[in-house]
Amino acid sequence: MAYTRGNLAVKERTAERSYQSPRYRETTKVVTRRTSLPVREKLLYIMTVIFCVAVMAGLLWQNANLYNIKRQLYNLNSEIQTMTLEVKELTVQKERLEESIPSEAAKLGYVKPDMDMFQIEVPATSDAGGTSEDMTTARK
């Protein structure tokens, strides 16, 4: 027998105490109420987001312009290369034509002028009252 609070007549109830299941269990639920943000803080967050989006849009626009300029530069370089090839081909063709001019002129009956030949240049008339008929006769 156990000595309980100065009384030996009390029966021991240790077995009952250990196997005793509680009939109800006290639970406490913590309820947290979320308070809304103040208007100034909301505006601050919104303005921060808008600022970040504006900066990103500016960077994107700048990159798009740079890409466009680079693309135009590439196109111009390719056009320059094609033009230089065309110019080379045309100079070769010009040289061929210049070489064939004397033979074509001989076929058509033209004669190469001698160095002894002289040319007469008729000056233009200086009188302001002259008609177009006078000009044509002076040139002939």
Side-chain angles (χ1 to χ4, degrees):
M1 285 228 168
Y3 182 76
T4 310
R5 295 185 190 175
N7 191 357
L8 291 174
V10 179
K11 289 186 180 179
E12 205 176 323
R13 294 186 181 186
T14 56
E16 289 180 16
R17 287 182 192 159
S18 65
Y19 295 112
Q20 196 178 40
S21 62
R23 293 184 183 172
Y24 67 93
R25 185 173 185 174
E26 243 181 80
T27 57
T28 57
K29 188 173 185 181
V30 178
V31 177
T32 57
R33 292 179 62 197
R34 297 187 74 182
T35 59
S36 62
L37 294 173
V39 175
R40 293 179 99 188
E41 195 171 352
K42 284 181 186 178
L43 286 175
L44 175 69
Y45 291 151
I46 289 174
M47 293 305 282
T48 304
V49 169
I50 289 173
F51 176 74
C52 291
V53 167
V55 167
M56 296 297 277
L59 290 174
L60 184 66
W61 180 74
Q62 190 176 16
N63 284 340
N65 281 343
L66 286 175
Y67 174 76
N68 191 15
I69 289 170
K70 286 181 182 179
R71 187 66 186 164
Q72 288 176 355
L73 185 66
Y74 175 77
N75 289 342
L76 286 176
N77 283 338
S78 63
E79 285 181 21
I80 287 171
Q81 288 176 353
T82 56
M83 292 289 185
T84 54
L85 287 175
E86 187 176 339
V87 165
K88 287 179 183 178
E89 290 174 1
L90 289 175
T91 53
V92 168
Q93 185 178 3
K94 177 188 162 197
E95 289 175 2
R96 284 188 201 145
L97 288 174
E98 285 177 351
E99 291 173 359
S100 66
I101 286 175
S103 62
E104 289 293 323
K107 285 181 188 175
L108 294 175
Y110 290 103
V111 181
K112 191 171 184 179
D114 295 331
M115 293 296 176
D116 297 337
M117 297 181 86
F118 59 91
Q119 294 179 348
I120 300 174
E121 291 185 25
V122 178
T125 58
S126 61
D127 57 304
T131 61
S132 62
E133 293 177 14
D134 293 337
M135 298 285 259
T136 55
T137 55
R139 286 187 187 164
K140 288 182 182 180

